[in-house]
């Protein structure tokens, strides 16, 4: 009799190698689960609906102790739930007094169709919002017209705050404009506001697509390249520090800063500015390569804009693409860098974190990612774990498996794939409840040269897999 134990799942999904040569801690599938800091794999938190918002608002942004939504109609909107605050975005239309040759702005109420960026600047919200086919920047400092009326304000989707300024990509993407230091409403100031000539310094595509921060430096991303700029309150001190080739993005809302690094979704998968600066090949440091083959087909059918956030509560980078969320669990202490994926029952329109809780908006419904919940608002969801095909360090040797033991919390259906050439060649599922060590092994009869353990959980209870022991006997060379 021989035994073999698998007790580490720290690398999550990794599809770079073939199923029959991948390591045991690189899973073929990890759906609706994630890697814990104890190197186990656990069922993801469920979604709990906390509110159905009054209709007419868009977006969801955590700031100043509340979750803010945005609208632009004539009628005022107030949310009954005090956790939420509806913000009115009022556009401005030029009105010229011919007698005095003075220009003022009259309020115009344009419905908000999407919200691209929200941040706090000097105690007020700075917002980039979509009003039908036009984008407008707003500064909510209690003025009657919240829209930025300076003619040099770019009014584009990609915006970021740094160096006491607001930076925004110009409408044609050839430059990145910036506001006056300390005043985001002023974009025309000879010695303080201006632009960065990003298109002039581009090595490939000249059109800037997204803005991010990397170690307190401004990162300007094109589709096929990136530039790292030193941003300073003094415009004369700004300078281009580095140009990074062959890494870029077309998805400005997929950027998130993670422990000083900048993660984002490119046209070909997930990438990192630090990775591309420090290594010249795809290896374990290239964050997206393990799941590229999963991500690329999803991007071909994407309907909404991918949205990402770094969730401090769990130390995870989460990027939602319609109803699918790709999750990158990172822990330097536990040496975890693992991908998994969540299948959600709703489309993610917006998400943000407030006081250690991640909130997700879908339509007018708002959910929280709830560690105490194990269903999606009462609906059970399927957890699937699939290990690669393993030969137990004896390739080409026929083996007979006759039993397994599981260390786990909760219950699952366990089965074993036994032919790498046929993914459907799998044993019947066996229901296993709780830790089986010390209580007699779970009988499971199958013969082959290599085996792929599979786990499936569909309950309203927690589930966590810590270890698997397989009992077998070698039968000899085929």
């Amino acid at each position: 009799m021989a035994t073999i134990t698998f007790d580490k799942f720290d690398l999550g999904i990794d599809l770079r190698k073939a199923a029959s040569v991948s390591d045991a801690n690189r899973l073929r599938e990890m759906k609706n689960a994630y890697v814990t800091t104890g190197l186990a794999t656990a069922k993801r938190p469920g979604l709990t609906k906390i509110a159905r918002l009054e209709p007419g608002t868009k977006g969801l942004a955590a700031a100043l102790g509340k979750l803010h939504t945005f609208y632009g109609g004539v009628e005022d909107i107030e949310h009954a739930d005090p956790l939420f605050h509806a913000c009115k975005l009022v556009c401005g239309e030029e009105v010229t007094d011919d007698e005095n040759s003075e220009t003022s702005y009259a309020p115009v109420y344009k419905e908000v169709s999407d919200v691209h960026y929200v941040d706090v600047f000097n105690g007020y919200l700075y917002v980039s919002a979509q009003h039908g086919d036009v984008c407008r920047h707003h500064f909510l400092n209690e003025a009657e017209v919240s829209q930025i009326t300076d003619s040099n304000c770019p009014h584009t989707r990609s915006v970021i705050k740094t160096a006491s300024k607001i930076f925004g990509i110009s409408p044609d993407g050839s430059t990145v404009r910036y506001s006056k230091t300390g005043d985001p409403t002023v974009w025309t100031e000879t010695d303080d506001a201006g632009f960065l000539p990003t298109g002039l310094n581009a090595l490939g595509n000249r059109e800037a697509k997204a803005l991010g921060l990397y170690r307190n430096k401004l990162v300007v991303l094109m589709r096929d390249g990136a530039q790292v700029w030193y941003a300073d309150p003094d415009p004369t001190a700004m300078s281009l520090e580095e140009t990074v080739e062959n890494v870029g993005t077309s998805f400005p809302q997929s950027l998130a800063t993670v422990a000083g690094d900048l993660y984002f979704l490119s046209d070909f998968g997930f990438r990192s500015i630090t990775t591309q600066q420090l290594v010249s090949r795809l290896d374990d440091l290239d964050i997206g390569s393990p799941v590229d083959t999963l991500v690329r087909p999803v991007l071909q059918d994407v309907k909404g804009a991918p949205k990402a956030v770094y969730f401090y509560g769990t130390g995870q980078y989460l990027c939602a693409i319609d109803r699918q969320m790709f999750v990158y669990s990172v822990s330097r202490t536990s040496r975890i860098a693992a991908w998994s994926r969540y299948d959600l029952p709703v489309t993610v329109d917006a998400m943000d974190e407030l006081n250690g809780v991640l909130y997700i908006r879908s339509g007018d419904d708002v959910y929280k990612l709830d560690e105490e919940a194990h269903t999606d608002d009462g609906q059970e969801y399927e957890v699937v774990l699939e290990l690669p095909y393993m030969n137990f360090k004896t390739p080409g040797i026929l083996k007979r498996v006759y039993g397994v033991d599981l260390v786990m919390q909760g219950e699952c259906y366990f089965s074993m794939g036994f032919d790498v050439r046929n993914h459907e060649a799998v044993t019947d599922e066996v229901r296993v409840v709780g830790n089986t060590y010390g209580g007699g092994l779970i009988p499971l009869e199958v013969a082959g040269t290599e085996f792929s353990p599979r786990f499936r959980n569909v309950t309203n209870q927690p589930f966590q897999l810590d270890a698997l022991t397989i009992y077998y006997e070698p039968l000899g060379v085929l």
Side-chain angles (χ1 to χ4, degrees):
M1 182 184 73
T3 64
I4 189 167
T5 297
F6 306 98
D7 58 4
K8 291 183 180 180
F9 310 98
D10 51 312
L11 296 180
I13 299 175
D14 191 340
L15 303 178
R16 288 175 292 185
K17 291 185 177 181
S20 59
V21 294
S22 186
D23 301 328
N25 56 351
R26 302 175 188 263
L27 278 68
R28 306 297 297 176
E29 176 65 287
M30 183 181 281
K31 185 177 77 170
N32 288 327
Y34 66 97
V35 177
T36 71
T37 53
L39 308 186
T41 182
K43 184 177 184 176
R44 69 161 171 87
L47 297 182
T48 299
K49 185 190 291 187
I50 64 165
R52 169 160 286 182
L53 302 177
E54 291 72 10
T57 67
K58 298 291 183 182
L60 189 71
L64 307 174
K66 287 185 177 290
L67 292 171
H68 298 268
T69 65
F70 304 89
Y71 68 100
V74 176
E75 300 295 329
D76 292 335
I77 298 177
E78 291 187 5
H79 293 307
D81 190 327
L83 179 63
F84 300 90
H85 178 250
C87 303
K88 195 169 191 174
L89 304 181
V90 183
C91 297
E93 185 176 80
E94 286 190 17
V95 177
T96 302
D97 186 337
D98 295 331
E99 183 176 342
N100 299 318
S101 297
E102 293 181 354
T103 300
S104 60
Y105 289 85
V108 176
Y109 303 97
K110 296 183 177 180
E111 297 289 346
V112 175
S113 55
D114 199 1
V115 178
H116 307 299
Y117 175 84
V118 182
D119 205 346
V120 178
F121 197 109
N122 286 343
Y124 299 100
L125 296 183
Y126 192 97
V127 183
S128 171
Q130 194 74 21
H131 300 268
D133 58 352
V134 297
C135 182
R136 290 291 181 262
H137 290 190
H138 299 266
F139 189 52
L140 307 185
N141 61 350
E142 301 177 358
E144 183 182 24
V145 175
S146 62
Q147 176 189 315
I148 306 297
T149 56
D150 192 310
S151 60
N152 280 319
C153 178
H155 291 297
T156 51
R157 301 181 179 189
S158 299
V159 191
I160 204 161
K161 179 185 74 174
T162 188
S164 301
K165 297 176 179 288
I166 293 291
F167 290 76
I169 295 174
S170 63
D172 64 359
S174 63
T175 63
V176 173
R177 302 201 64 88
Y178 53 84
S179 70
K180 179 181 178 180
T181 301
D183 191 348
T185 65
V186 177
W187 294 74
T188 304
E189 187 82 12
T190 304
D191 298 325
D192 202 358
F195 65 91
L196 303 175
T198 53
L200 183 64
N201 292 279
L203 299 180
N205 194 307
R206 298 176 66 252
E207 183 181 355
K209 293 286 190 179
L211 301 175
L213 293 177
Y214 163 68
R215 297 185 180 179
N216 296 321
K217 297 174 183 178
L218 177 68
V219 182
V220 183
L221 295 105
M222 290 72 175
R223 186 175 181 274
D224 59 356
Q227 298 173 12
V228 181
W229 288 79
Y230 175 71
D232 193 273
D234 179 5
T236 62
M238 296 191 193
S239 61
L240 176 62
E241 293 206 346
E242 191 161 357
T243 299
V244 187
E245 297 183 68
N246 302 321
V247 56
T249 185
S250 300
F251 309 109
Q253 295 186 65
S254 72
L255 278 69
T257 301
V258 182
D261 198 354
L262 181 64
Y263 293 177
F264 55 91
L265 176 63
S266 76
D267 293 350
F268 306 101
F270 293 99
R271 298 294 181 262
S272 157
I273 285 295
T274 296
T275 296
Q276 295 293 338
Q277 284 186 317
L278 300 181
V279 298
S280 58
R281 65 183 188 280
L282 294 178
D283 57 17
D284 288 348
L285 293 176
D286 185 355
I287 66 164
S289 59
V291 292
D292 277 352
T293 56
L294 287 178
V295 175
R296 289 171 185 171
V298 175
L299 291 179
Q300 293 177 0
D301 299 321
V302 64
K303 297 179 178 62
K307 298 172 176 63
V309 66
Y310 177 65
F311 184 23
Y312 295 95
T314 56
Q316 294 173 322
Y317 168 81
L318 303 101
C319 184
I321 308 175
D322 297 332
R323 291 194 174 196
Q324 190 160 178
M325 183 177 287
F326 288 90
V327 181
Y328 191 54
S329 302
V330 184
S331 173
R332 293 183 178 178
T333 303
S334 301
R335 297 183 179 182
I336 293 173
W339 282 104
S340 58
R341 65 185 185 94
Y342 297 169
D343 276 350
L344 303 179
V346 296
T347 299
V348 178
D349 295 324
M351 60 179 174
D352 209 346
E353 178 182 4
L354 178 65
N355 298 329
V357 179
L358 183 68
Y359 295 91
I360 293 173
R361 177 170 185 171
S362 179
D364 290 328
D365 294 327
V366 179
Y367 304 82
K368 70 175 181 179
L369 204 61
D370 191 350
E371 294 185 354
E372 301 300 320
H374 309 293
T375 65
D376 286 334
D377 202 38
Q379 177 183 342
E380 295 179 352
Y381 52 88
E382 183 183 56
V383 177
V384 176
L385 308 173
E386 183 179 326
L387 277 66
Y389 286 81
M390 296 167 291
N391 56 32
F392 307 162
K393 299 181 181 180
T394 53
I397 301 298
L398 184 64
K399 295 167 277 284
R400 182 179 73 91
V401 172
Y402 57 87
V404 299
D405 264 328
L406 302 180
V407 179
M408 67 177 185
Q409 177 186 2
E411 67 175 74
C412 73
Y413 290 95
F414 176 79
S415 60
M416 193 92 76
F418 54 87
D419 187 348
V420 69
R421 299 164 299 181
N422 180 10
H423 188 265
E424 303 302 322
V426 60
T427 65
D428 292 337
E429 291 184 326
V430 177
R431 182 171 177 264
V432 184
V433 180
N435 186 351
T436 66
Y437 277 55
L441 61 81
I442 305 300
L444 187 144
E445 291 277 348
V446 62
T449 59
E450 48 195 1
F451 307 93
S452 170
R454 303 175 187 181
F455 308 83
R456 190 172 64 87
N457 165 270
V458 186
T459 67
N460 61 0
Q461 299 297 319
F463 171 69
Q464 176 172 310
L465 176 66
D466 292 281
L468 160 70
T469 296
I470 300 175
Y471 302 94
Y472 69 99
E473 58 180 357
L475 299 180
V477 179
L478 281 177

